[in-house]
Amino acid sequence: MGLEKRFEKQKYLSTPDRIDLAESLGLSQLQVKTWYQNRRMKWKKIVLQGGGLESPTKPKGRPKKNSIPSSEQLTEQERAKEAERPAEAPGESGDRSRED
């Protein structure tokens, strides 16, 4: 019952939340984690069949590893942008203060 009550409020548990819940219910962290995984699968199945009021969502935590570009990818993106810019004509510069 304690797991079900918590699941109604929170579909995904952070590590500290899982530790607290496991301790309060006298269960291991692995038991809580496994129960939550199984319960989410059951919940998603119900929701996708149209029996639930909520839509299944992903947790709002850290982004996936590959969703943040690496420094090499950023450098490559910057190079691509530079290549798209038109080149300045010879003798033209951004500093026009010397035109007398």
Side-chain angles (χ1 to χ4, degrees):
M1 289 298 287
L3 289 167
E4 281 291 341
K5 285 181 184 179
R6 185 65 174 265
F7 185 79
E8 285 300 314
K9 296 176 191 173
Q10 193 175 7
K11 304 294 188 243
Y12 292 85
L13 291 177
S14 65
T15 302
D17 288 340
R18 186 175 67 233
I19 292 168
D20 291 342
L21 184 59
E23 287 177 359
S24 69
L25 297 174
L27 300 171
S28 72
Q29 289 183 52
L30 183 58
Q31 287 175 308
V32 172
K33 180 179 178 181
T34 303
W35 186 90
Y36 253 78
Q37 288 173 335
N38 290 335
R39 186 62 180 86
R40 274 195 304 270
M41 292 304 292
K42 180 179 176 182
W43 170 68
K44 286 180 183 179
K45 191 175 184 181
I46 292 168
V47 169
L48 293 175
Q49 289 175 349
L53 300 175
E54 303 174 53
S55 62
T57 58
K58 298 214 175 203
K60 294 177 178 121
R62 294 187 309 191
K64 290 183 180 177
K65 183 178 178 184
N66 295 334
S67 68
I68 300 173
S70 67
S71 58
E72 290 136 4
Q73 289 170 325
L74 288 173
T75 304
E76 186 60 37
Q77 289 172 358
E78 289 171 4
R79 286 183 186 152
K81 286 180 185 176
E82 287 293 324
E84 291 174 3
R85 290 185 188 161
E88 290 184 359
E92 289 186 21
S93 68
D95 185 15
R96 301 201 181 265
S97 62
R98 294 189 182 182
E99 291 181 13
D100 288 309

